């Protein structure tokens, strides 16, 4: 007696849209930007070293963002390391851009996941290891794969256009893709 081959069954639940963004509020923010296109906001954070490589960064009145290092980099492994936190910031910024632009275009997202990986040489060990000047420091490549589902069908080309638009206007992605003035000084 052979075992019958079962056909895949479609999910019985109806996929719901992600928690929505206030479309009128989004439009108002857009108009505010158009009315004052040269406005610059200064964001502030305070990072306090708790000990070893564990750091607490305070932003506005929020709970601190904790950053640590994994054991192979002599940390306590209590939180993402700084480079992982940078990938998280990029992923969140791109996700915000995709969701905002989907909302502005009337697209209802049911799933938005970003899978991010980056290649980084860590042999300089913060200036205490291999100090070859020819070696690039920081990420040399970052790859982001988007897993997007919508209530209404979208072609791959339409999804890609949405992603490329979000990348073009992402503050974090742009910070990573162009030189930024960085001043470090003693207080």
């Amino acid at each position: 007696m052979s075992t019958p081959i079962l056909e895949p069954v479609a999910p019985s639940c109806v996929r719901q849209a992600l928690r929505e963004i206030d479309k009128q509020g989004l439009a108002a923010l857009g108009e505010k930007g158009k009315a004052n296109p040269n406005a610059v906001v200064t964001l502030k954070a305070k990072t306090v070293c708790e000990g070893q490589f564990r750091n607490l960064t305070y932003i506005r009145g929020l709970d601190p963002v904790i950053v640590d290092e994994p054991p192979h980099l002599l940390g306590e492994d209590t939180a993402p390391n700084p480079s992982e936190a940078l990938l998280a910031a990029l992923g969140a910024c791109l996700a915000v851009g995709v969701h905002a632009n989907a909302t502005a275009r009337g697209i209802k997202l049911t799933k938005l996941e970003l899978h991010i990986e980056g290649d980084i040489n860590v042999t300089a060990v913060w200036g205490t290891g291999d100090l070859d000047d020819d070696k690039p420091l920081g990420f040399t490549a970052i790859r982001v794969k988007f897993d997007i589902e919508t209530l209404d069908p979208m072609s791959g080309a339409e999804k890609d256009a949405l992603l490329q638009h979000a990348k073009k206007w992402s503050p974090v992605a742009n910070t990573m893709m162009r030189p930024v003035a960085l001043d470090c000084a003693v207080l």
Side-chain angles (χ1 to χ4, degrees):
M1 174 178 248
S2 65
T3 306
I5 298 174
L6 300 175
E7 293 295 320
V9 177
S12 60
C13 66
V14 175
R15 188 105 192 179
Q16 298 294 314
L18 298 179
R19 192 171 60 246
E20 292 188 20
I21 297 170
D22 175 6
K23 193 168 183 174
Q24 288 79 25
L26 181 62
L29 278 174
E31 290 305 316
K32 184 177 176 184
K34 290 174 187 174
N36 192 359
N38 296 318
V40 174
V41 174
T42 300
L43 302 179
K44 296 182 180 185
K46 178 181 179 181
T47 298
V48 178
C49 183
E50 193 176 66
Q52 214 165 337
F53 286 134
R54 185 177 159 94
N55 292 278
L56 307 174
T57 299
Y58 296 89
I59 302 166
R60 299 190 316 261
L62 302 171
D63 289 338
V65 174
I66 301 169
V67 176
D68 196 357
E69 291 286 353
H72 73 278
L73 293 175
L74 308 178
E76 299 173 76
D77 206 19
T78 62
N81 73 20
S83 299
E84 293 164 331
L86 181 70
L87 293 179
L90 175 63
C93 193
L94 290 170
V96 165
V98 168
H99 199 184
N101 281 280
T103 297
R105 298 173 188 190
I107 300 166
K108 302 246 187 234
L109 299 176
T110 59
K111 180 180 183 181
L112 177 57
E113 294 180 4
L114 286 70
H115 302 264
I116 309 157
E117 59 184 31
D119 303 328
I120 188 169
N121 183 318
V122 296
T123 60
V125 195
W126 313 288
T128 65
D130 177 16
L131 304 183
D132 179 7
D133 284 338
D134 292 332
K135 173 183 17 202
L137 296 178
F139 285 104
T140 54
I142 296 175
R143 293 167 296 283
V144 184
K145 300 289 184 189
F146 292 78
D147 189 358
I148 297 176
E149 294 178 11
T150 59
L151 280 178
D152 298 319
M154 280 182 78
S155 71
E158 290 170 320
K159 288 179 183 179
D160 187 61
L162 181 63
L163 305 180
Q164 296 311 318
H165 185 79
K167 175 186 168 189
K168 178 179 179 178
W169 295 102
S170 163
V172 175
N174 276 274
T175 299
M176 296 173 80
M177 293 185 297
R178 63 175 167 73
V180 175
L182 174 63
D183 180 35
C184 295
V186 175
L187 190 58

